[in-house]
Amino acid sequence: AFPKRVKVVEVGPRDGLQNEKNVVPTPVKINLINMLSETGLQVIEATSFVSPKWVPQMADHTEVMQGINKLPGISYPVLTPNLKGFQAAVAAGAKEVSIFGAASELFTKKNINCSIEESLERFGEVMTAARAANIPVRGYVSCVLGCPYEGKISAAKVAEVSKKMYSMGCYEISLGDTIGIGTPGSMKEMLAAVMKEVPAGALAVHCHDTYGQALANILVALQMGVSVVDASVAGLGGCPYAQGASGNVATEDLVYMLNGLGIHTGVDLQKLMDTGTFICNALNRRTNSKVSQASCRL
Amino acid sequence: QESQASGLPEYVKIVEVGPRDGLQNEKVIVPTDIKIELINRLSRTGLPAIEVTSFVSSKWVPQMADHKEVMKGIERHPGVQYPVLTPNLQGFHSAIAAGATEVSVFGAASESFSKMNINCSIEESIEKFEEVAKSARNMNIPVRGYVSCALGCPYEGNIVPAKVAEVSKRLYSMGCYEISLGDTIGVGTPGSMKRMLEAVMKEIPLSALAVHCHDTYGQALANILTAIQMGVAVVDSSVAGLGGCPYAKGATGNVATEDVIYMLNGLGINTGVNLYTVMEAGNFICTALNKKTNSKVAQASFNTGTIN
């Protein structure tokens, strides 16, 4: 049986734009988020409070955070890799933050130059500050179905890292198939292990469509009781580990599937497609959403 | 082992439709020798069935005008079936004369689609197919039946599962050994796939069912997974996802064989097919067609230089 409702977490403005070749000006980012706010989406990841030295696309994080229309009932989480970023985020008006862990030691080392254990210690500082400020924290676990450096990742490791982040106080754990290598088989195995440590209601899946498996993987996750799914409008965001390959699953294609299953999302597909058209024009690129491709030609 | 535990079939037969359904829906017309080379490469991948060509009038489908030459020119590997489309008795006889040992007939669950596509009603089309089925039975030639628009029609929109079941039953009763249910415009989702299969499974045994999903709305693998979870063990696909959608300009059509195999491998389901050699065949035909592959697995694999 499927959940009756699914919460769609829109990561296009952050995860999407961060992994696009072309950098988008601040007003375009703000307009994108404002348009997304009109679609019925309840959660829109707005930006990342990380040093512009590392992620130039997100250099305008403060301006974006302060410039967007914050509609009531919509959450605008931002990434905060450390305490400094957290403080800057709160100063800019953020009311929810996200932290990024990984189930792979090598990936953690290459990505943020420390071990998993050390990264969790850093996050601990953010958690303490967030608790004091009554700010909810979402935890991401990368490489849950495979790692570009280590290859296979054990389900037990994913469960271990998820449990730690949940115990630290993250209200939700988003399990990311960072290189899109997972299939319904590995998704099922991984979720079975994680669900022994974290309740299904606190889990989300963040699937990449690099191998075309995203919707099938999401379907399996839904069948196992997961009811929060991350996606990116127009499938923004390529894969940094496979040049030219796609990354995030397209929100339009996800909503199309959920609509077909009779699952409530509250999202207006047409408005979503219009938003996708806007940002693709601004980026001068074609959409990665098949629903969008099919619909505008019929 | 793995697949059994989860209630999934142990083995799924993949029916490769690239050389026919794929090429027929590509803009560029492909020379005969390229078609033959593609089919020969596919014959070496482990695929158990490869739809070769269509014995239809070249007036309607110029892309398949070389059907005789292709049929006669390909290598016939033992253990591999090479079905061909035969819309009527004339096409059937022509196919047999050219050496075909299996044929397919194409019905539809939509009256409008039947009228627009082959200029007759569903009932009239069934009568034509019955002629083919009768001759085929006399000659011991297996016939596969297709039902188009199983999850939606470009003209009628919604299609009721009962209608799909009714047409499927007619084709099965006339002797088709397998019924391939086609989501012709790719509009289906796991929800509509499930409802349709439930209706059809009341009339046709599971082992005689196949799904032919189009990826026009990105739903194909999720729909195929749903079908497999319900016990369907035959899946049609097209190497490199050849074949766009004739009803939505620029949109994709067939689901890519590589992406299907990748998913089935991950589920521990045996197909007998070597993913890498399929990707190579896909690479060959895309080069010949001067186009990018529609297979995400191929895109990802060739770009990282690794295959998983």
Side-chain angles (χ1 to χ4, degrees):
Chain A
F2 290 103
K4 291 204 166 59
R5 318 178 81 89
V6 160
K7 180 173 83 176
V8 176
V9 174
E10 173 60 47
V11 301
R14 204 282 310 164
D15 194 1
L17 292 184
Q18 182 170 319
N19 287 298
E20 284 290 324
K21 282 192 309 284
N22 297 334
V23 181
V24 144
T26 309
V28 173
K29 286 193 179 95
I30 289 173
N31 197 34
L32 169 65
I33 295 166
N34 289 345
M35 284 184 82
L36 289 167
S37 290
E38 301 290 333
T39 61
L41 284 161
Q42 294 172 275
V43 186
I44 302 164
E45 198 176 65
T47 187
S48 182
F49 281 79
V50 67
S51 162
K53 215 180 11 177
W54 301 122
V55 187
Q57 293 102 314
M58 299 285 125
D60 55 2
H61 41 63
T62 304
E63 294 91 321
V64 169
M65 202 62 216
Q66 289 174 341
I68 56 176
N69 294 337
K70 295 209 190 83
L71 268 58
I74 301 182
S75 188
Y76 300 90
V78 300
L79 247 73
T80 53
N82 48 39
L83 191 57
K84 184 167 161 215
F86 174 81
Q87 285 159 346
V90 174
K95 298 270 184 292
E96 179 177 329
V97 301
S98 307
I99 56 176
F100 254 83
S104 155
E105 287 290 354
L106 257 157
F107 186 84
T108 305
K109 192 108 193 88
K110 295 258 194 191
N111 229 30
I112 53 178
N113 201 25
C114 62
S115 69
I116 295 179
E117 194 56 47
E118 285 164 339
S119 75
L120 292 175
E121 277 166 22
R122 265 183 228 172
F123 300 146
E125 297 183 336
V126 174
M127 298 305 309
T128 307
R131 202 168 313 125
N134 239 344
I135 299 230
V137 182
R138 188 188 211 224
Y140 281 90
V141 181
S142 303
C143 298
V144 299
L145 298 178
C147 169
Y149 312 108
E150 283 185 23
K152 197 168 188 331
I153 295 291
S154 80
K157 188 72 186 175
V158 181
E160 182 196 319
V161 177
S162 304
K163 183 182 184 174
K164 288 201 173 123
M165 294 181 79
Y166 185 66
S167 308
M168 282 165 73
C170 292
Y171 77 91
E172 194 167 88
I173 306 296
S174 175
L175 304 162
D177 182 11
T178 306
I179 46 172
I181 217 159
T183 63
S186 55
M187 172 64 85
K188 192 167 189 227
E189 193 192 330
M190 184 274 296
L191 282 177
V194 174
M195 282 174 173
K196 288 193 188 122
E197 310 292 349
V198 181
L203 290 176
V205 289
H206 183 111
C207 296
H208 278 194
D209 203 39
T210 318
Y211 289 78
Q213 308 294 305
L215 286 188
N217 291 346
I218 289 167
L219 187 70
V220 162
L222 294 172
Q223 288 174 337
M224 291 181 74
V226 173
S227 64
V228 183
V229 181
D230 300 358
S232 176
V233 62
L236 292 181
C239 180
Y241 306 96
Q243 221 217 40
S246 63
N248 285 301
V249 68
T251 313
E252 299 92 317
D253 300 359
L254 169 67
V255 170
Y256 185 90
M257 181 174 82
L258 296 175
N259 285 350
L261 280 162
I263 293 173
H264 181 259
T265 61
V267 179
D268 181 321
L269 183 53
Q270 186 56 56
K271 287 189 178 154
L272 189 59
M273 285 196 283
D274 293 342
T275 308
T277 302
F278 161 75
I279 192 62
C280 286
N281 285 341
L283 281 163
N284 193 27
R285 59 159 285 173
R286 288 182 62 193
T287 182
N288 268 344
S289 157
K290 287 205 165 171
V291 169
S292 207
Q293 266 170 42
S295 304
C296 58
R297 261 85 166 194
L298 270 170
Chain B
Q1 11 92 283
E2 230 182 277
S3 66
Q4 279 284 271
S6 44
L8 299 172
E10 229 173 29
Y11 170 81
V12 161
K13 176 176 98 176
I14 299 199
V15 176
E16 171 59 48
V17 300
R20 204 283 308 167
D21 194 1
L23 294 184
Q24 183 170 318
N25 287 298
E26 285 290 330
K27 284 191 304 283
V28 176
I29 299 229
V30 154
T32 308
D33 59 333
I34 302 270
K35 285 191 180 100
I36 290 171
E37 176 64 23
L38 170 64
I39 294 164
N40 289 345
R41 282 169 183 251
L42 291 168
S43 288
R44 297 176 207 134
T45 61
L47 282 162
I50 302 165
E51 198 176 65
V52 166
T53 187
S54 183
F55 281 79
V56 66
S57 161
S58 45
K59 214 178 15 171
W60 302 122
V61 187
Q63 183 65 276
M64 299 285 124
D66 54 4
H67 40 65
K68 285 202 197 83
E69 293 89 326
V70 171
M71 196 71 222
K72 290 183 183 162
I74 56 171
E75 291 164 10
R76 305 283 284 261
H77 288 231
V80 183
Q81 296 303 317
Y82 299 93
V84 301
L85 247 71
T86 53
N88 48 39
L89 201 55
Q90 189 194 0
F92 175 78
H93 289 311
S94 189
I96 299 301
T101 49
E102 179 176 327
V103 301
S104 309
V105 294
F106 253 83
S110 155
E111 284 294 352
S112 311
F113 187 83
S114 198
K115 197 106 192 84
M116 296 291 263
N117 224 35
I118 50 178
N119 202 25
C120 63
S121 69
I122 296 178
E123 191 58 44
E124 286 164 339
S125 73
I126 300 267
E127 280 162 21
K128 274 187 213 168
F129 302 148
E130 264 163 353
E131 294 184 339
V132 173
K134 193 163 166 215
S135 290
R137 196 179 10 253
N138 289 340
M139 303 182 65
N140 245 342
I141 299 266
V143 182
R144 187 188 212 225
Y146 281 89
V147 180
S148 302
C149 299
L151 297 178
C153 169
Y155 312 107
E156 285 181 19
N158 202 28
I159 294 291
V160 295
K163 189 72 185 173
V164 182
E166 181 197 318
V167 177
S168 302
K169 187 176 185 180
R170 295 293 298 278
L171 290 171
Y172 188 68
S173 306
M174 76 170 68
C176 292
Y177 76 92
E178 195 168 86
I179 307 297
S180 175
L181 304 162
D183 182 11
T184 306
I185 48 171
V187 281
T189 63
S192 56
M193 173 63 86
K194 184 161 194 260
R195 284 190 297 274
M196 184 275 293
L197 283 176
E198 277 168 350
V200 175
M201 278 158 64
K202 288 192 185 125
E203 310 289 348
I204 317 269
L206 203 42
S207 56
L209 289 178
V211 289
H212 183 114
C213 297
H214 278 195
D215 204 39
T216 318
Y217 289 77
Q219 310 294 305
L221 285 188
N223 292 344
I224 289 167
L225 180 64
T226 299
I228 291 176
Q229 287 178 339
M230 291 176 76
V232 171
V234 183
V235 176
D236 299 358
S237 59
S238 177
V239 61
L242 291 180
C245 181
Y247 306 97
K249 206 176 100 117
T252 58
N254 286 302
V255 68
T257 305
E258 300 91 317
D259 300 359
V260 173
I261 293 173
Y262 186 89
M263 180 173 82
L264 297 177
N265 284 352
L267 282 162
I269 293 174
N270 182 38
T271 60
V273 184
N274 181 316
L275 175 54
Y276 191 76
T277 53
V278 175
M279 283 200 280
E280 286 187 316
N283 195 32
F284 162 78
I285 191 62
C286 286
T287 306
L289 282 164
N290 193 28
K291 65 167 276 182
K292 281 181 71 183
T293 181
N294 271 340
S295 157
K296 289 207 163 169
V297 169
Q299 263 170 43
S301 304
F302 286 124
N303 285 317
T304 55
T306 59
I307 285 91
N308 296 279

